[in-house]
Amino acid sequence: VDIAEHLTSSEPACFEALRDETQQRWPGGAHMVSGAQQGRLLHMLVRLSRARRVLEVGCFSGYAALWMGLALPEGGSLLSLERDERAAAVARRHLDAAGVGSRVEVRLGDALEALRALPEGEPPFDLIFVDADKKRTWEYYDLLVSRRLLAPDGLLLVDN
């Protein structure tokens, strides 16, 4: 990672501002922000997969959502689930500032409850990124599979 960070360009200012605010608000939790390399990878995977509907389970302050939101094509959308109201507010503010707030919905509440509440018959997601409570990863996975929330050719990403 050190070599990759050294050899790649610096983060755009919108990411630095988000990272700085996250560090100030959650000094002990800033490690939960996806790194620049992971963010760039998510951005690339959204683009390469041509995902139009993206689901993020676990938003925190919106760093990964911002990378993925910027990668969405015209008409694309991202639903990001977050249980912490303060973190969701920070995410929304930075998504709006970067110009992707209209494409990214940060939905507040427990992720399992939010997944269960998704309406039947909606199209499945082209890409799903699970980055929430690690102890519940298998519960998220089971629910995603049983509800057929991932498109047949979709991409499922899990951060452990």
Side-chain angles (χ1 to χ4, degrees):
V1 174
D2 290 336
I3 292 172
E5 288 178 5
H6 178 72
L7 295 176
T8 57
S9 58
S10 60
E11 294 174 303
C14 61
F15 294 100
E16 290 179 31
L18 175 53
R19 185 184 295 282
D20 289 346
E21 182 173 351
T22 302
Q23 177 64 41
Q24 290 171 2
R25 289 181 178 268
W26 296 278
H31 69 280
M32 295 191 316
V33 171
S34 302
Q37 301 313 313
Q38 182 175 337
R40 284 185 172 94
L41 177 62
L42 291 168
H43 185 273
M44 181 179 67
L45 291 172
V46 169
R47 288 259 172 127
L48 287 173
S49 67
R50 297 188 175 143
R52 297 189 61 74
R53 291 193 76 224
V54 176
L55 171 66
E56 178 184 35
V57 181
C59 179
F60 189 41
S61 61
Y63 188 85
L66 183 51
W67 276 108
M68 292 188 291
L70 288 168
L72 288 170
E74 187 70 33
S77 66
L78 175 115
L79 172 60
S80 185
L81 308 177
E82 176 52 48
R83 67 179 174 197
D84 183 295
E85 191 171 338
R86 291 183 324 139
V90 169
R92 287 184 189 112
R93 190 169 55 258
H94 285 273
L95 291 162
D96 287 342
V100 296
S102 63
R103 290 186 261 181
V104 181
E105 176 190 352
V106 179
R107 190 170 296 174
L108 191 61
D110 177 79
L112 284 173
E113 291 175 18
L115 291 171
R116 288 185 188 109
L118 290 173
E120 295 286 336
E122 276 196 7
F125 294 93
D126 303 308
L127 186 144
I128 299 175
F129 177 44
V130 178
D131 189 23
D133 180 359
K134 308 309 183 214
K135 295 175 186 164
R136 297 170 80 185
T137 298
W138 285 110
E139 292 178 74
Y140 300 132
Y141 175 80
D142 288 341
L143 190 55
L144 293 169
V145 170
S146 68
R147 292 278 319 272
R148 293 187 169 97
L149 295 175
L150 183 65
D153 293 329
L155 186 58
L156 176 62
L157 309 169
V158 179
D159 184 339
N160 63 357

